[in-house]
Amino acid sequence: MGTEEDELSAFREQWQQELKTNTKTPCKDKKGYFGHHSKESSSLHQSASFWEKQSSASQQSQPTPKDQPQYVSIAEGLLDGRSSPLLDRIEQERTRKKRAPDSEALNTDAPPQKVNKGQKLLEQFLQDLNEVNDIPFFDVELPYELALKIFHFLGRTDLGRCAQVSKSWKVLAEDEVLWHRLCLKEGYYNGASISDSPCWKSTLRDRRNTENSVKSNWKNRVGSIRNLQYELGKVLCDVSSCAGLVIAGYTSGDVRLWDTFHWDKSYLHPTHSIRNETPAPYVSHVRVNKNIATAAYENGCVDVWSTETCLEPIHQYQHLQRVHALDLSSDSPAVASASGPDVRVDAPDEQGYWKSRRLVQLPKPVDGVLVVPGRRDFPLVTAWAGESVYLLDSKWKDEQEPRVLHSVYGHPITCVDVSPGRAALGIKSCGWGMNDGGNKIQVYSLETSQCELTVGNSAGDFTCVNLRDSHPHLLVCGNKDRRVRVFDLRTGSSVVSLYAHHMGVTTVQADDWKIVSGGGEGLVSVWEMRIGAKLWEMHNRHPVRHIRFNTSTLVTANVPDEKSPRGACITDDDLTAHRRHRGLICHYDFSMDSSTQDHVLPICRSNYTESSGYNYNIGLAMPYDILNCP
């Protein structure tokens, strides 16, 4: 150890002597760091610039520390034992900037100037802005961009807490980049740029307050209710809704379309009305999405309209028998229909001309068809017949056999629903299959055609299953045993089981916190999933055949099973069928404030809430029990 210390001290002494020799020698005799003439020094000497001439004239005097090169001062700092000369220079620079206004005031050589108070405040403001550029993080200071990158990993609550630490952290925590990212992350204003809102924090707060208000309205059944009726349509046959559009078909052959955003009423002109066919065929099925509406009739005709024009059909084709099943893609203009054992898929080509993409005949009569959601070049259709489920790809030729997704002899399919990557099948167990736990629901992967999960084990038949509109990890289903069940697709466990409808569950839908179910007795029930309690219910005549809700609206339809009620001659020109036989479509809007002047009568406006009964928000404008005598 002693030898190493002696060598280090000798090296320092030799380095100090070389530095002193370097500073005393004139510019023309400058040498490189290792004692040899460097190329840079020789080139600079040959150029003979004006600065070199001035410096050579002043070389007779001893150089001051200010005139020393930067590398000399750094080397002297290292020899003196300082750990980081660069940090000292940064600290000196910051001190010089802070004292710059005071040093200017102490300059007595300059003529006296009147100091403007506004100018002084502006300089102080600029100085504060320069200090904000360095964000203190405990015992270090980080650049603003690096600190902003760290804050990107925080949520709303953490950003609010960080804003209370200091002024600099408050400025950082309220940066528009952070709150714009949170808005997009939570699903608000998808595709919006950061310049679309002056304050993204306020925008996010307003949207969340609106969501909380709508959720409270859902729980307390506060909002507006509209009955969508068409007197001339006679008896209701089928209902479908999507993206604010509601379509209904009637036994009179009429098809009616409502736009619930602007409450426009449109009458779709079917093909048989253009041909003046009498009597008009019943409407068997209707479907609608954002751009396309379609209807199938008892005579095998299928009409397709554009929701923008709502006039004559843009496409029409004919089946040889009655159409038993019809479906329309929710994302693209693709129509699938089934008549007997035949399945047909129609979609427009690249030029926009509609044509048949797939025509296949299955071994048994088709019970239902569903178009797999998602944008594809060629529509993918799921069809089930008896105990088999098939996948029909439109890019295959008609000669190719459809792919079998599921088939077990003697175990018929009772209900099916599909999502972009999965298919849920309700399977009825018969004979020896009842010893294996009863009826089940199997979830298949559409890509591999393999069963991923089996849930259920119920004695009753599964009548409905919802996979497309439910939460990504949840599956909700209804059964003839009067229960609504929710399963977790990640674990296969049952989340909740509710005793819902005494005549069986006919349709159901769920999201992350609530369940809406309909039964054969005409009851619509809304449930809180977490606690498994019923929030409220509405009753109407006839079974509930359609339920569709989003964040703030709910559409329900009670469709009668009997299309020709006794004692009513619906073939006459005048309508003799009573309203109770026609069915009912209800539209609930929970985003509206039910206490507004234009919504509820004055006698019914109050903050008084009634826990029972079927009338909502009923109370006196001034309840007598809170009146005080003067």
Side-chain angles (χ1 to χ4, degrees):
M1 291 293 297
T3 308
E4 293 180 357
E5 292 179 356
D6 295 340
E7 291 180 357
L8 181 59
S9 58
F11 173 74
R12 287 185 175 180
E13 293 177 359
Q14 182 179 359
W15 195 4
Q16 289 178 355
Q17 292 178 1
E18 290 181 359
L19 290 175
K20 291 179 181 179
T21 307
N22 245 353
T23 55
K24 291 181 180 181
T25 52
C27 252
K28 61 182 180 179
D29 295 335
K30 283 184 180 179
K31 295 185 179 181
Y33 180 77
F34 292 100
H36 302 285
H37 291 283
S38 62
K39 295 182 181 180
E40 295 181 359
S41 60
S42 60
S43 61
L44 291 173
H45 173 68
Q46 292 177 2
S47 62
S49 62
F50 175 78
W51 184 85
E52 289 178 342
K53 293 179 182 180
Q54 295 295 330
S55 61
S56 61
S58 60
Q59 284 294 328
Q60 296 177 0
S61 61
Q62 185 70 20
T64 61
K66 293 184 179 179
D67 299 332
Q68 292 179 355
Q70 185 178 3
Y71 70 90
V72 176
S73 61
I74 295 176
E76 289 181 351
L78 291 174
L79 292 174
D80 292 341
R82 292 196 299 268
S83 60
S84 179
L86 185 58
L87 295 178
D88 297 338
R89 290 177 63 86
I90 293 176
E91 187 65 28
Q92 293 175 4
E93 183 69 18
R94 290 178 178 175
T95 306
R96 184 186 65 80
K97 289 182 179 180
K98 292 181 179 180
R99 295 180 179 177
D102 300 335
S103 61
E104 293 178 359
L106 295 175
N107 189 7
T108 56
D109 298 337
Q113 296 180 357
K114 186 176 181 180
V115 179
N116 189 3
K117 186 177 181 180
Q119 184 70 20
K120 188 175 181 180
L121 292 176
L122 179 61
E123 292 177 355
Q124 182 66 30
F125 176 69
L126 294 176
Q127 180 181 351
D128 294 340
L129 287 180
N130 291 332
E131 292 179 357
V132 168
N133 290 335
D134 295 330
I135 306 298
F137 272 80
F138 304 101
D139 56 345
V140 297
E141 291 185 356
L142 298 179
Y144 187 87
E145 292 77 8
L146 184 57
L148 188 66
K149 186 66 177 178
I150 295 175
F151 273 43
H152 265 79
F153 298 96
L154 302 181
R156 292 178 287 103
T157 306
D158 296 331
L159 287 178
R161 292 171 179 172
C162 291
Q164 303 176 13
V165 174
S166 63
K167 291 182 178 180
S168 57
W169 279 42
K170 178 178 175 61
V171 172
L172 183 65
E174 293 183 353
D175 194 282
E176 294 298 321
V177 175
L178 300 176
W179 293 100
H180 172 256
R181 182 188 64 85
L182 288 176
C183 279
L184 299 182
K185 183 179 180 181
E186 296 191 14
Y188 305 133
Y189 304 104
N190 292 327
S193 62
I194 194 172
S195 60
D196 291 342
S197 176
C199 182
W200 282 103
K201 181 179 179 180
S202 300
T203 303
L204 180 61
R205 181 178 62 247
D206 295 342
R207 287 299 301 267
R208 290 190 62 85
N209 290 338
T210 302
E211 278 194 356
N212 294 334
S213 176
V214 171
K215 187 174 181 180
S216 176
N217 292 343
W218 265 97
K219 292 183 177 181
N220 299 315
R221 195 174 54 185
V222 175
S224 66
I225 302 178
R226 286 177 179 262
N227 292 333
L228 309 183
Q229 297 180 355
Y230 179 49
E231 299 292 341
L232 300 179
K234 300 185 180 178
V235 180
L236 185 64
C237 293
D238 194 22
V239 178
S240 178
S241 62
C242 179
L245 299 176
V246 181
I247 188 174
Y250 298 87
T251 56
S252 61
D254 296 326
V255 180
R256 177 74 177 273
L257 182 68
W258 289 272
D259 184 356
T260 59
F261 290 144
H262 309 93
W263 289 109
D264 296 334
K265 304 174 183 178
S266 303
Y267 299 93
L268 304 180
H269 299 167
T271 304
H272 61 80
S273 65
I274 300 175
R275 299 174 180 174
N276 294 324
E277 298 180 6
T278 55
Y282 291 0
V283 178
S284 57
H285 301 279
V286 290
R287 295 291 182 271
V288 67
N289 62 15
K290 293 184 293 185
N291 303 315
I292 298 297
T294 181
Y297 301 90
E298 294 285 338
N299 60 357
C301 180
V302 177
D303 290 336
V304 180
W305 298 271
S306 172
T307 57
E308 298 178 358
T309 59
C310 296
L311 296 176
E312 297 182 359
I314 60 175
H315 181 57
Q316 185 270 338
Y317 61 91
Q318 182 74 39
H319 281 281
L320 298 179
Q321 302 178 21
R322 178 182 180 271
V323 177
H324 297 282
L326 178 72
D327 193 42
L328 175 65
S329 174
S330 59
D331 306 306
S332 59
V335 179
S337 58
S339 175
D342 299 328
V343 179
R344 177 170 175 171
V345 182
D346 284 39
D349 56 11
E350 297 178 355
Q351 289 75 25
Y353 296 101
W354 282 78
K355 64 179 183 180
S356 177
R357 293 296 188 93
R358 180 76 164 157
L359 183 60
V360 64
Q361 186 174 9
L362 300 181
K364 293 182 178 181
V366 179
D367 298 323
V369 292
L370 286 176
V371 181
V372 178
R375 292 191 173 274
R376 295 177 172 85
D377 296 335
F378 299 93
L380 182 63
V381 177
T382 303
W384 62 99
E387 64 271 358
S388 302
V389 181
Y390 304 90
L391 282 180
L392 310 177
D393 199 336
S394 300
K395 65 182 178 181
W396 297 341
K397 297 181 179 179
D398 294 341
E399 294 79 10
Q400 291 181 308
E401 292 293 331
R403 180 158 52 114
V404 178
L405 184 65
H406 169 86
S407 182
V408 177
Y409 180 76
H411 293 241
I413 305 297
T414 57
C415 57
V416 177
D417 194 28
V418 291
S419 66
R422 291 174 172 174
L425 318 177
I427 303 173
K428 180 179 181 179
S429 300
C430 299
W432 56 269
M434 295 300 295
N435 299 326
D436 194 22
N439 303 318
K440 298 179 177 59
I441 290 181
Q442 293 186 354
V443 181
Y444 280 81
S445 171
L446 297 180
E447 183 178 359
T448 61
S449 300
Q450 299 295 324
C451 181
E452 296 180 344
L453 187 66
T454 300
V455 296
N457 298 333
S458 171
D461 298 342
F462 287 99
T463 55
C464 55
V465 58
N466 195 308
L467 182 65
R468 180 184 315 189
D469 302 321
S470 300
H471 193 269
H473 302 300
L474 297 180
L475 182 145
V476 58
C477 58
N479 200 290
K480 282 186 177 181
D481 63 359
R482 311 172 185 180
R483 287 194 172 272
V484 173
R485 294 176 174 85
V486 180
F487 297 96
D488 191 341
L489 295 177
R490 294 168 294 186
T491 60
S493 60
S494 176
V495 177
V496 65
S497 178
L498 306 171
Y499 184 86
H501 304 276
H502 65 273
M503 292 186 65
V505 184
T506 54
T507 180
V508 68
Q509 184 182 345
D511 60 5
D512 57 342
W513 69 273
K514 65 179 177 293
I515 305 170
V516 182
S517 61
E521 74 283 353
L523 195 65
V524 176
S525 302
V526 179
W527 308 80
E528 169 73 44
M529 185 184 303
R530 183 176 60 87
I531 61 178
K534 182 185 294 186
L535 299 176
W536 51 270
E537 61 184 18
M538 295 290 288
H539 181 268
N540 288 293
R541 194 183 180 98
H542 308 298
V544 182
R545 299 299 181 186
H546 176 77
I547 284 180
R548 186 71 177 268
F549 69 83
N550 55 20
T551 306
S552 59
T553 62
L554 168 66
V555 178
T556 64
N558 297 76
V559 181
D561 292 332
E562 182 63 39
K563 306 304 180 184
S564 300
R566 291 183 299 173
C569 184
I570 61 176
T571 59
D572 295 340
D573 294 335
D574 56 340
L575 184 62
T576 57
H578 196 271
R579 180 173 293 180
R580 66 174 179 266
H581 299 298
R582 300 175 191 165
L584 183 65
I585 306 173
C586 294
H587 178 271
Y588 304 80
D589 189 357
F590 299 100
S591 63
M592 299 184 64
D593 185 6
S594 62
S595 62
T596 57
Q597 298 291 331
D598 298 334
H599 179 63
V600 184
L601 295 175
I603 195 174
C604 300
R605 289 196 302 269
S606 170
N607 57 358
Y608 177 81
T609 57
E610 183 68 27
S611 59
S612 62
Y614 294 109
N615 294 325
Y616 72 103
N617 200 31
I618 298 298
L620 293 178
M622 185 61 66
Y624 294 104
D625 55 353
I626 64 173
L627 290 177
N628 296 323
C629 296

